[in-house]
Amino acid sequence: MESYFVKNCNTSWPTPRLLVLRLLTVADGKTLTAAEAVRAGALFDMTENSVRVTMARLTQAELVEAVDAAIYRLGAKGQKLGADVAAWSTVDQRVTEWDSTWIAVTTGGLPRSDRKVLRARARALSLLGFRELDTGLYLRPNNLSGGVDTVRARLLDLGLGEEAAVFKASVFDSVRQEKALSLWSDMQLEASYKEISQRLNDWLATKDKLPREAALRDVYLLGDAGIRSVIFDPLLPAPLVNETERQQFFATVRRFNNEGRRLWYAFFKESNL
């Protein structure tokens, strides 16, 4: 059974694929045995067969590779994914002082018929905190370390499309400037920081009262939701967001993640005795 906190928040039950890849990104020694994967999957009602089939498919896709009999680590393609996920814990270190200019992306000339390409483009823009100002024109504050060049390289790496123009913009007319400053208002970031932080702290205060299996599920699901919130945070500057509240929220997610790692490490250590 899940705890009250998990049942009353927006968490996503993992698939075998997501569970295996997530565990491999945080595994002690960066390896995971098939038996550990099966035991972890059982916590989420996954059958042994579904977990083993998933590991075989991940191996075939080069996301996972076998390093010994029934011992796995991230493969060549999975290592890049793992590095991207692991970077969440230091993502706030990328923020610099805002000079009131913007980073702009135009997508009007990019292909629009391939749905896979469109999804990759939308995800790239979302991960970097861009919002659409006018049709085909996306903006974010120019407050990330490395500026336009680094953001351009990151967007292309994520699948934006080589033809997209990425450039610094400033001096919008008053109507567009006002619209630009309000592009992220619907995210209600400060309220989200407080809500998720409270949820995580409440769980930490009551975790010792939970059955172990429920605690392991909870800490995975809540931690995953918290990390997703960090990964997709637009990293806005003041005055568009309260930066102190964001820093406190990120610190809470890091603290919660450390507790999750402790619980899961103990679980795997016991399974190997």
Side-chain angles (χ1 to χ4, degrees):
M1 296 292 290
E2 293 174 281
S3 75
Y4 169 85
F5 300 111
V6 169
K7 287 191 293 184
N8 288 274
C9 67
N10 183 24
T11 57
S12 300
W13 202 254
T15 62
R17 183 179 188 275
L18 289 175
L19 179 65
V20 169
L21 290 174
R22 173 72 187 281
L23 291 176
L24 277 168
T25 63
V26 299
D28 192 14
K30 301 301 181 184
T31 62
L32 186 73
T33 68
E36 288 171 338
V38 168
R39 191 160 183 243
L43 294 173
F44 298 94
D45 302 323
M46 300 173 191
T47 66
E48 177 177 349
N49 183 65
S50 67
V51 173
R52 291 187 182 277
V53 167
T54 294
M55 297 192 80
R57 289 175 176 171
L58 289 172
T59 302
Q60 187 176 21
E62 298 181 7
L63 289 166
V64 166
E65 64 181 13
V67 295
D68 205 338
I71 300 177
Y72 298 86
R73 67 183 177 193
L74 290 174
K77 294 180 180 179
Q79 287 174 15
K80 182 180 182 300
L81 172 67
D84 288 343
V85 172
W88 75 268
S89 62
T90 58
V91 68
D92 48 335
Q93 296 177 13
R94 295 165 46 205
V95 177
T96 62
E97 187 174 351
W98 188 35
D99 63 0
S100 296
T101 65
W102 306 87
I103 299 178
V105 176
T106 57
T107 63
L110 297 180
R112 307 189 65 84
S113 58
D114 189 323
R115 291 185 180 181
K116 183 177 180 180
V117 170
L118 288 173
R119 285 195 299 270
R121 184 185 309 160
R123 186 173 187 274
L125 291 166
S126 180
L127 275 170
L128 272 294
F130 282 87
R131 285 293 180 96
E132 193 170 28
L133 179 69
D134 289 327
T135 302
L137 175 63
Y138 295 80
L139 290 183
R140 71 149 293 114
N142 183 19
N143 71 318
L144 298 182
S145 178
V148 175
D149 289 341
T150 296
V151 170
R152 180 189 295 113
R154 178 69 174 144
L155 286 169
L156 294 178
D157 187 49
L158 289 169
L160 173 66
E162 294 284 347
E163 302 87 352
V166 183
F167 55 94
K168 183 163 73 172
S170 61
V171 197
F172 288 116
D173 60 77
S174 59
V175 173
R176 283 185 172 82
Q177 180 70 4
E178 183 177 357
K179 182 181 178 181
L181 292 171
S182 65
L183 285 175
W184 298 266
S185 59
D186 64 306
M187 295 182 74
Q188 300 181 317
L189 289 167
E190 285 95 344
S192 178
Y193 297 153
K194 292 177 181 177
E195 178 186 349
I196 299 173
S197 292
Q198 186 66 51
R199 186 185 303 156
L200 299 182
N201 285 324
D202 285 348
W203 188 89
L204 288 172
T206 61
K207 63 181 175 61
D208 293 336
K209 300 177 182 178
L210 294 170
R212 187 185 62 167
E213 291 190 354
L216 288 165
R217 283 192 295 269
D218 280 6
V219 81
Y220 177 96
L221 294 168
L222 287 170
D224 191 58
I227 290 172
R228 280 202 312 274
S229 295
V230 171
I231 289 173
F232 283 95
D233 189 277
L235 298 176
L236 301 177
L240 301 184
V241 76
N242 185 317
E243 293 180 288
T244 299
E245 289 188 5
R246 181 178 65 220
Q247 291 169 358
Q248 292 172 345
F249 165 61
F250 283 13
T252 297
V253 176
R254 282 191 284 262
R255 186 169 63 253
F256 191 90
N257 182 65
N258 288 338
E259 177 62 13
R261 290 170 70 96
R262 186 189 70 79
L263 291 174
W264 276 87
Y265 282 165
F267 172 71
F268 285 136
K269 183 176 180 180
E270 178 185 299
S271 69
N272 291 328
L273 294 178

